[in-house]
Amino acid sequence: MASNFIEKAVYTIAEAFQNCLKRFPVTVCFVFALTGHLIYLCASDGKVPDDKLFYTISYYFSVGTLLSLTLHLWSEEIKRKAAKAVTHLTGHLLLLADTFFLYTLSPEQSWTEIIIAHAAAILALGLSVFFLSFFREKNDVPSWNFALSSLGSFVTANVMGSIMSGGICLLLFSLHQLFNLDIKPKGYGYILILCNVLLAMMLFLGLLPKGEAKHDRKPLVRSFLNTAAHYLFLPLTGAYLLVLYVYAAKILISWELPDGWVSWLVTALMTGCIAIEFSIYPTRMALSGRWDERIARWLPVLVLPLLVLMSVGIVRRLNDYGITVNRLYLATFNAWCYAVCIGLFVTRARRINWIPISFAATFLLTSALPVNFASITRRTLRHDIEQLTAQVDKDKLPFSNRQYEEWLNTLPRETATDVNDKLAYMRHTFGRESIRDIVAEDVYFYDKVETASERSHLLVCSFDETKPMEIPEGYTRFIGDSQDTFFFSAEECRTGTLAVPLNRWIENSEDSISIDIKTLEEWDKKEESGNIPPPRINSKSGNHVFYITYFCYDPKQGSGPSLRLSGYLFMK
């Protein structure tokens, strides 16, 4: 019996590899190339001569594997060889052009739009594996069966790859323990790559259904997903419906706007509704049970009114806080949910593949075109900010840190908070390049906007980190981006000198640096001119040197005078 099992396992593995080479020759080439690429990374200890080139090649091999797989699966449905060849060639040329485009991009350029667009394209490409080959089918049962079988094969292949890698690694470790053989860590890395990437992918490709099994039109009468939908998903979805309808009644009675958190609940409810539709679909096609048909058609109708809560919450957020990339996508998702619920009711849920396909298409259209949600958000925020800076003398732009604070203080508090939040959002989302002509690179965006009288006592200065810093002779180590806030008593401040301990950055250190308050005042005055190189401060013991890149001294803080410091700490 054991020998039969081993023979069957060996036969299955051999057959899987043969299927790979026959069905997916281009995909196999990409898998081997990706494996070799990762082995090179492991052999070089992660040190590559050109990081940008390495990541670009990683992207090309990974996406190329997915692209070639979906093209091979689609080609099995096409009889004309010319059409197959042209489609394959066009797809791979587009991928090569995209890879070259990514490599030529500047690191300083905003990657937000590019990352979102590529995420949308990869999602569409991944979903096409399950749906593209079944465009001629009369219903969605064959694609449902193929998707379920493919996911099962993927899990099986990865489990087998993990078992093999774990077993071989354990064997090598045993050789080290028992025979004192020197097994380098790279050896374990090679095994993990070969088993969890090469072996797992080859098994997965080989186990994918083909021929009649690929177009299995026989729906599953009973399945685990169908049982889970009835006894797990439906009760949970019912609980969400109950909570949201009670909440809707509450806000109608009290006549108040819904909380922003309701969007997450409605999103979870919509996800549960779609999961139920997919889970009961094969059984509905096989048995046409009245109960399942009612669930499939009327559950979306129950969800539909609750989408209004989500819409009101989104409109409220847009009116209160303005436009962002996430809010535009959330509004689009809300509109897509309306379309799904109405579509399922009108079509009686006879087809369901259009749900993920329409999601991917919507995501792609709003992300990958030249005019997309990210570019719309950037232009809108830029326009709002430029309207406020239009009256500023152009010679003062970009603002230094002090000039920016003074300009904010000339604006109404609500306006100042709004423009500060927009600039901070653009800096975080689109990078410094998007606001470089408005504010200097060292401008610090506060969490809240204070009035001039509230902030007039602060001593603040941001030093120009682009200026060269001399490495102290004899110092071999440094701690980059050292920053912390230090509090002092009134008595300590009366001496005019602040002793800053270094034990915040160096454990058990008794050393410290001393900073005169008058020196801070001088730096604060010079900050308006900008381009001040980071000053050097020697420690008390002479074993440390600190270069200051930013400070904020507040002598009137409620908990006592405070000093916020950032910089580079050099050690011998």
Side-chain angles (χ1 to χ4, degrees), residues 441-442 462-469 530-534 548-549:
E441 291 190 9
D442 58 352
S462 293
F463 299 94
D464 188 356
E465 296 184 53
T466 62
K467 300 290 184 181
M469 291 181 288
N531 298 323
I532 309 173
I548 301 177
T549 57

Side-chain angles (χ1 to χ4, degrees), residues 284-295:
R284 284 179 50 230
M285 295 297 102
L287 302 178
S288 298
R290 182 179 299 178
W291 174 241
D292 283 346
E293 292 294 339
R294 288 176 177 174
I295 292 173

